[in-house]
Amino acid sequence: MALPGHAPNISMFNFSANNLTFLSRTECKSCVVFAMKDLHTNRVYRLYDFTKAQTITPDQIWCVSGKVNSADKLYLVIESVKADSKNRLSIQSTSES
């Protein structure tokens, strides 16, 4: 899979992350960019949806999988998103604190 505006021979690697909460959504010309925070590590990820088809809301914990490139800029490209059923109680504990 090649990213828009990049050479098609860029190496892409699989990634997956769970226990993610929604922070923000930014619509760009070629994609939607989601900022999401891992509740275990407190890392914030910028996830790119070039299909503009993903629906991610702040009321759930999410699992995301996709591809990451190894070019000069790091892109985490979403391939699938689903509710994180193993960590769904985490959203209640974070909103109560």
Side-chain angles (χ1 to χ4, degrees):
M1 171 195 301
L3 293 173
H6 287 75
N9 61 351
I10 292 174
S11 297
M12 300 289 280
F13 302 95
N14 294 327
F15 84 90
S16 64
N18 58 9
N19 210 37
L20 297 177
T21 58
F22 172 92
L23 296 176
S24 68
R25 179 186 188 278
T26 305
E27 181 123 11
C28 302
K29 188 174 183 177
S30 62
C31 67
V32 174
V33 181
F34 293 96
M36 299 187 78
K37 182 178 180 179
D38 183 318
L39 293 176
H40 288 273
T41 65
N42 287 324
R43 289 184 178 138
V44 174
Y45 296 97
R46 209 174 328 170
L47 303 167
Y48 293 83
D49 175 16
F50 288 99
T51 66
K52 296 186 176 183
Q54 303 298 336
T55 302
I56 300 174
T57 56
D59 60 338
Q60 295 211 30
I61 303 292
W62 298 96
C63 291
V64 177
S65 63
K67 300 284 185 187
V68 57
N69 74 342
S70 61
D72 57 341
K73 290 185 178 180
L74 183 68
Y75 287 94
L76 300 175
V77 181
I78 298 172
E79 289 184 335
S80 71
V81 176
K82 65 180 183 176
D84 186 345
S85 59
K86 291 182 182 178
N87 293 300
R88 69 176 156 215
L89 296 177
S90 298
I91 195 78
Q92 294 169 344
S93 63
T94 58
S95 62
E96 292 170 2
S97 35

